[in-house]
Amino acid sequence: MEAAFVESGTTVDKGENARLSSFVGAIAIADLVKTTLGPKGMDKILQRISEHDQSISVTNDGATILKSVNIDNAAAKVLVDIAKVQDDEVGDGTTSVAVLCGELLREAEDLINQRIHPQTIAEGWRLARKAARDALDASTRDNSGDDAKFREDLLTIARTTLSSKLLTYDKDYFANLAVDAVMRLRGSNNLDHIQVLKKAGGHLRDSYLEEGFLLDKKIGVGQPKKIENAKILLANTSMDTDKIKIYGSRVRVDSLNKVAEIEEAEKQRMRQKCDKIMSHGCNVFINRQLIYNLPESIFTENGIMAIEHADFDGIERLAAVTGGEVVSTFDRPDLVTMGECDTIEEVMIGEDKVIRLGGCKSGEACSIVLRGASSHVLDEAERSLHDALCILTATVKDPRIICGGGCTEVLMAQAIDRQVEATPGKKALAMAAFARALRQLPAIVADNGGYDSAELVTQLRAAHAAGKNTHGLDMYNGTIGDMLELGVAEAYKSKLCVLLSASEAAEMILRVDDIIKCAPRARNEGY
C-alpha cells in the first residue's frame, strides 16, 4: 500500500515485524551491558577500528560502552540516549537504566504474545510506576541537618558507587578524596572547580588531593619560578609577530634594508602590545595561544611570569577559579578584571613539572592528581572518580539517600504486588510484569558475582515480607544482610531517574507499530 506514495528505497516495517525489531534491538543492547552491573561486574575492552586510531580502552561504565557502539536499530538508540542522559544528569546508574528498560521490554514481549494490547500494558506500567515511586519516597532518609552524619552518608554513597569500578580495592581512600573535593565546593556544585590531572607512574594509591589548581604547562625561559600575591591577566590573543595574514599575499622590496625595516616594524608592533599588557599591572600573564620568543623575552626583562598555550578548557577553568576574565584586547585596563591567587610556583609530580596556583580567589578550587601504571588504568580511574563526584554533587543538591544492594528494587516490587491484588482487569498482568522486571536487577547483580540468584532473591523477598525493609544483597559473602549495617547506600535522585527514564523509554518503544526508514538523498552524477 505504502509503495503508492513513498519514494523508492524507503522501507516500512509494520505491526508485529516492527515491534519485534524494536524489542530485539533494545534487549540486545541491555544484554550487552548486563554483565557489567554490580560490584562483581565484568569489564569490556573497546577497540577502535579507524585507520588512524586503533586505541583501546578497558571500562565497565555503561554510558562509555554504549557511546562507543555504532547502532543501526532505532529502539537500541533510545536505550543509548537514556544512558547518556542518566550520565549527564546524575553520573551513576547508566548501566541500571539500560538493563531495567531491557527487562521491561522482555516482559512486554511475553504479554504481547498473550494478545494483550500495548496500550493496556502501558496503562498498567504507569500505575506500577506510581506505586514504585511512592514506595521509594517512603524509604528515603535525610541527614542533611547534621554535618557529621551527612558527611558519613556521602562517604557511604561514594564507597557504594566506587564498589563497581576499577577503584573498588581502594574505595575508602578514594571516597574520602572525592568527598573532600565536593565539600570544598560549598554547595556551588560546579565540577569545573575540581580538576583531575592524570600522571602515569606509581600506583593508584599514590593519587592525592591538591588544595589549589594545577596547570600542566611550562613557565617561560628565565622567568621567576615562584610569585607571591599574583595578579593574573588571562588572555586569548595572538602573540606572534603581526605578519600580513592574507593567504597568497606578497611584499616586494628592492633591498635587504627594506626587509629589515619591515621586520623592525613588526617587532615594534609586538613591543607596543606587550607594553599595553604590562600596563594592566599584572605579574603573571597566561595566554591560551602561543607566546613567541620576542614577547617572551620582553616579559622576562620585566620580571613577569608568562605561561603559553593554556588550552581552552584550561583558560576557562582558570577564569572560574581565580575570579578573572579572559580578554582579547588591552586598550582599556580599567575595564579588565584580573585573577588573583596567593602563590604561583613550579612543583614536581613524579618526573614532570607542573604549575601550582595556591590560595585562589575562589577557595573552592582543588585538583585531584591521579597516578597509575598505564594510560588505560588512568582513563578508567578518571571515569570512576568522575561518576563518584557527579553522584556526590547530586546528593548535596538532594540529600535524601536510600539503601542499595537490590533493597529498593525488591521494596518497590513488593509495593506493586500489593496493589496488583486490588487492581481488576488485564492492567494487573502488566503491573505484575513491572514488578518482575524490577526483581531482575538484584538477580543480575547476584549472577554477575557467581552466586545462585534464584536462592538469594527469594530469600530477599521473604526478608522484606517479614518486615526487614533494609535488607539487600551482601555481595562479598554471597548472602543477604542489613544494608544499614553493611554501609551500602545510593542517592535517591539516581534511583528515581533510573525508574522514571527506563519505564518511560520502554513505554515509548512498546507503542511503536511502524518503522519507516527513509531513502537516502540521491547524489547527482559528477559529484
Side-chain angles (χ1 to χ4, degrees), residues 283-505:
N283 51 13
V284 179
F285 176 67
I286 302 178
N287 192 27
R288 186 193 163 202
Q289 301 179 39
L290 290 171
I291 300 176
Y292 281 64
N293 292 349
L294 176 65
E296 187 178 67
S297 64
I298 294 170
F299 291 134
T300 304
E301 288 167 8
N302 289 273
I304 292 174
M305 180 191 289
I307 301 164
E308 66 175 3
H309 221 260
D311 52 36
F312 188 74
D313 285 345
I315 203 83
E316 288 289 316
R317 196 176 268 147
L318 274 170
V321 300
T322 61
E325 293 176 347
V326 182
V327 294
S328 298
T329 57
F330 309 98
D331 296 320
R332 294 290 303 276
D334 53 313
L335 300 179
V336 175
T337 304
M338 286 201 291
E340 297 173 14
C341 70
D342 293 342
T343 57
I344 295 185
E345 59 185 338
E346 201 170 58
V347 295
M348 294 284 291
I349 297 178
E351 297 178 357
D352 298 326
K353 290 180 180 177
V354 297
I355 301 165
R356 176 182 175 275
L357 287 78
C360 294
K361 192 173 183 180
S362 161
E364 305 152 2
C366 60
S367 297
I368 297 173
V369 180
L370 285 178
R371 308 300 309 280
S374 71
S375 60
H376 305 122
V377 172
L378 285 172
D379 288 342
E380 179 62 2
E382 184 187 24
R383 281 190 287 268
S384 305
L385 197 59
H386 179 263
D387 284 359
L389 292 170
C390 286
I391 199 72
L392 288 174
T393 50
T395 309
V396 170
K397 285 182 193 170
D398 186 346
R400 289 176 289 177
I401 68 168
I402 53 173
C403 293
C407 170
T408 46
E409 282 84 356
V410 174
L411 194 71
M412 290 188 286
Q414 190 184 46
I416 295 168
D417 285 338
R418 279 197 296 269
Q419 196 165 328
V420 167
E421 296 167 5
T423 305
K426 293 181 178 178
K427 295 194 293 285
L429 297 175
M431 293 172 71
F434 198 102
R436 284 196 299 274
L438 281 171
R439 278 193 291 269
Q440 276 301 309
L441 287 177
I444 291 165
V445 170
D447 280 336
N448 289 344
Y451 302 125
D452 185 346
S453 60
E455 175 71 21
L456 287 177
V457 173
T458 48
Q459 285 182 21
L460 197 52
R461 288 182 72 180
H464 277 256
K468 298 175 182 176
N469 290 335
T470 57
H471 273 52
L473 298 176
D474 178 356
M475 286 301 292
Y476 296 103
N477 298 310
T479 59
I480 64 169
D482 190 337
M483 296 293 102
L484 293 178
E485 291 176 7
L486 294 171
V488 179
E490 296 181 59
Y492 164 77
K493 188 176 180 184
S494 170
K495 191 64 71 179
L496 181 66
C497 283
V498 167
L499 175 70
L500 299 182
S501 299
S503 57
E504 286 170 5

Side-chain angles (χ1 to χ4, degrees), residues 125-146:
W125 279 0
R126 282 195 288 273
L127 292 171
R129 185 167 66 217
K130 184 177 184 304
R133 184 171 184 173
D134 290 342
L136 186 65
D137 289 344
S139 68
T140 60
R141 59 185 195 277
D142 183 353
N143 291 323
S144 56
D146 184 331

Side-chain angles (χ1 to χ4, degrees), residues 26 53 67 72-73 149 175 206 222 243 247 287 323 381 412 470 503:
D53 180 14
K67 282 177 194 169
D72 188 37
N73 186 283
K149 282 186 177 177
D206 294 337
K243 295 177 179 173
Y247 182 73
N287 192 27
M412 290 188 286
T470 57
S503 57

Side-chain angles (χ1 to χ4, degrees), residues 108-302:
E109 192 174 10
D110 292 339
L111 294 173
I112 294 284
N113 291 337
Q114 295 174 34
R115 316 304 295 174
I116 298 174
H117 196 275
Q119 294 289 8
T120 307
I121 299 171
E123 191 178 349
W125 279 0
R126 282 195 288 273
L127 292 171
R129 185 167 66 217
K130 184 177 184 304
R133 184 171 184 173
D134 290 342
L136 186 65
D137 289 344
S139 68
T140 60
R141 59 185 195 277
D142 183 353
N143 291 323
S144 56
D146 184 331
D147 287 347
K149 282 186 177 177
F150 185 53
R151 181 181 170 82
E152 191 53 46
D153 282 350
L154 290 177
L155 284 168
T156 305
I157 288 171
R159 280 194 288 266
T160 304
T161 300
L162 294 172
S163 291
S164 60
K165 312 287 183 190
L166 173 76
L167 305 175
T168 180
Y169 299 108
D170 293 313
K171 64 183 176 186
D172 290 332
Y173 180 75
F174 281 98
N176 267 303
L177 202 130
V179 170
D180 286 343
V182 168
M183 294 302 271
R184 283 179 66 88
L185 295 179
R186 303 190 188 103
S188 77
N189 296 323
N190 185 358
L191 286 180
D192 284 343
H193 291 188
I194 302 174
Q195 184 195 23
V196 178
L197 195 63
K198 297 178 290 186
K199 286 290 177 186
H203 49 88
L204 285 169
R205 191 79 189 206
D206 294 337
S207 305
Y208 64 93
L209 180 72
E210 175 69 57
E211 293 188 3
F213 191 84
L214 295 177
L215 194 61
D216 193 6
K217 299 295 171 188
K218 299 282 188 293
I219 295 172
V221 179
Q223 293 170 357
K225 302 297 182 189
K226 181 174 181 178
I227 286 184
E228 305 275 350
N229 298 320
K231 301 284 185 189
I232 307 164
L233 182 62
L234 302 166
N236 179 12
T237 187
S238 169
M239 294 299 289
D240 55 350
T241 49
D242 283 347
K243 295 177 179 173
I244 299 169
K245 292 176 182 172
I246 301 172
Y247 182 73
S249 63
R250 289 182 181 179
V251 177
R252 291 191 176 182
V253 292
D254 53 11
S255 71
L256 285 174
N257 289 339
K258 296 281 178 66
V259 175
E261 286 173 15
I262 292 171
E263 288 179 349
E264 185 56 38
E266 287 174 349
K267 289 178 182 176
Q268 190 57 36
R269 289 280 300 277
M270 182 50 66
R271 288 190 190 99
Q272 289 171 2
K273 189 170 189 176
C274 291
D275 289 340
K276 285 181 181 177
I277 290 169
M278 290 184 290
S279 69
H280 288 70
C282 62
N283 51 13
V284 179
F285 176 67
I286 302 178
N287 192 27
R288 186 193 163 202
Q289 301 179 39
L290 290 171
I291 300 176
Y292 281 64
N293 292 349
L294 176 65
E296 187 178 67
S297 64
I298 294 170
F299 291 134
T300 304
E301 288 167 8
N302 289 273

